[in-house]
Amino acid sequence: MPDAAPLWAAVALPAVLSVAALVTAGFDAVLTASAERGRAGSTRGTALRALEPLRETLRLLVQQPRRTTVSDRLLGRLGVVLVPVAAVLAGAVLPWGFRAVSDPSVGIVWFNAMEALAWAAVWLAGWGPNSALSLIGGYRFLAQGLAYELPHMFAITTAALGAGSLRVGEVVAAQDGVWFVVWMPAAFVVYLLSALAMAFWGPFAYPLARDTAGGAAAELAGVDRLVLLGGRWLLLVVTAGFGVPLFLGGGHGPLLPGWAWTLLKTAAVLALLVAGRRALPVARMERYMEVAWMVLVPLSLLQALFVAVVVINR
């Protein structure tokens, strides 16, 4: 069980996650600009490309919000705000090293519940503007979440099964010798894919697809758009970071302190997900939903069965 984090950690958590999301977005901007326009050619050019998300943030802060006819502003605004809120609440059980803001006995269930809250949030953000295109984007995310929640749930439950506990701190402690990724590789891969789907990122960005003018965010502008898209980056950071205590040993590692190992491992997972976005194009929903139901669910169940047999015969 990790040590209790100081009180200020709860206050600092949103700021830390926001900085991590901004850095990740900067890294993605550099890769995108390099793919479109070639290498920057200088350190200054690379830095300017990395600052593009910050410039976009400032532009959206001063942009006027968009209003649609007979929109449900209350539900729409609630959905927009709940996306980053769900990400931050999920991050509350994320241990940095061997400390977490909170380490309840059902921490893994809490994390999964906050991801489910993000489902409702994105759907509400699509419903609120009273626009067909944004509503289509919301329904796409709902269908995507339903397809990937089962393999996602089985993957994180497999890690809990290996540790014999739903407490995140005890899952980390159980990996003192061997990381779970060594004997749960299928669960780790399923988790990463489903984490991308939960953050509607990369090949799973269909809820924000261009064929619906941006989908769930089609009618959002100004601060509303900034909060929703910023919340997506927060979801990506938190889901990537949660893979570290589940499968990569958390803060366990030689020489460096626990928080440093957590930071390095999280950065490696984020770099893998961001770079992998370019290797996997956005696919039509029916194609990757078929993969979720026909491949990932059976694969995650087989992995859970293997872990259960190992645990019983210890």
Side-chain angles (χ1 to χ4, degrees):
M1 178 176 176
D3 300 329
L7 183 60
W8 58 262
V11 179
L13 179 65
V16 172
L17 292 177
S18 297
V19 170
L22 191 60
V23 171
T24 306
F27 176 61
D28 179 68
V30 171
L31 293 182
T32 300
S34 298
E36 294 176 350
R37 304 193 297 270
R39 294 184 179 181
S42 67
T43 304
R44 181 176 179 275
T46 302
L48 289 175
R49 291 178 175 182
L51 290 174
E52 182 59 34
L54 183 58
R55 289 195 293 268
E56 179 65 11
T57 297
L58 296 176
R59 184 186 71 82
L60 290 175
L61 283 174
V62 299
Q63 187 182 57
Q64 291 296 317
R66 184 178 301 156
R67 298 285 181 254
T68 53
T69 305
V70 200
S71 62
D72 192 328
R73 294 186 184 180
L74 177 60
L75 289 183
R77 285 282 177 84
L78 181 63
V80 167
V81 171
L82 278 179
V83 176
V85 168
V88 172
L89 290 177
V93 296
L94 185 62
W96 291 95
F98 303 102
R99 289 189 170 200
V101 171
S102 177
D103 189 31
S105 59
V106 290
I108 288 180
V109 177
W110 170 265
F111 176 80
N112 199 35
M114 293 305 101
E115 289 184 312
L117 180 61
W119 287 8
V122 177
W123 186 82
L124 285 175
W127 168 274
N130 190 33
S131 166
L133 296 179
S134 64
L135 185 58
I136 289 171
Y139 272 116
R140 282 177 174 178
F141 182 69
L142 203 60
Q144 179 171 290
L146 288 171
Y148 278 85
E149 173 59 19
L150 273 181
H152 184 76
M153 180 181 65
F154 288 142
I156 63 178
T157 303
T158 299
L161 180 62
S165 175
L166 291 170
R167 190 185 296 273
V168 181
E170 293 182 8
V171 174
V172 173
Q175 300 176 71
D176 191 12
V178 179
W179 297 354
F180 282 172
V181 69
V182 175
W183 57 298
M184 304 179 191
F188 181 57
V189 172
V190 169
Y191 174 83
L192 291 183
L193 289 174
S194 58
L196 286 174
M198 295 301 174
F200 46 111
W201 170 259
F204 306 103
Y206 207 52
L208 301 183
R210 293 181 179 179
D211 66 325
T212 51
E219 302 296 343
L220 298 179
V223 176
D224 293 339
R225 187 176 186 86
L226 174 62
V227 172
L228 178 70
L229 298 184
R232 180 176 72 155
W233 283 102
L234 287 174
L235 281 172
L236 181 65
V237 168
V238 171
T239 52
F242 203 68
V244 173
L246 284 183
F247 299 102
L248 299 179
H252 291 296
L255 302 178
L256 299 176
W259 65 266
W261 274 115
T262 299
L263 183 62
L264 288 174
K265 293 172 185 177
T266 302
V269 174
L270 279 171
L272 175 65
L273 296 181
V274 172
R277 171 191 182 190
R278 282 144 189 85
L280 299 172
V282 177
R284 291 182 61 85
M285 285 197 66
E286 63 270 18
R287 293 182 179 178
Y288 59 70
M289 286 178 67
E290 182 178 355
V291 172
W293 290 110
M294 304 302 294
V295 178
L296 297 187
V297 170
L299 182 63
S300 58
L301 282 173
L302 288 174
Q303 177 71 94
L305 178 61
F306 170 78
V307 172
V309 171
V310 171
V311 170
I312 291 173
N313 289 280
R314 279 178 178 174

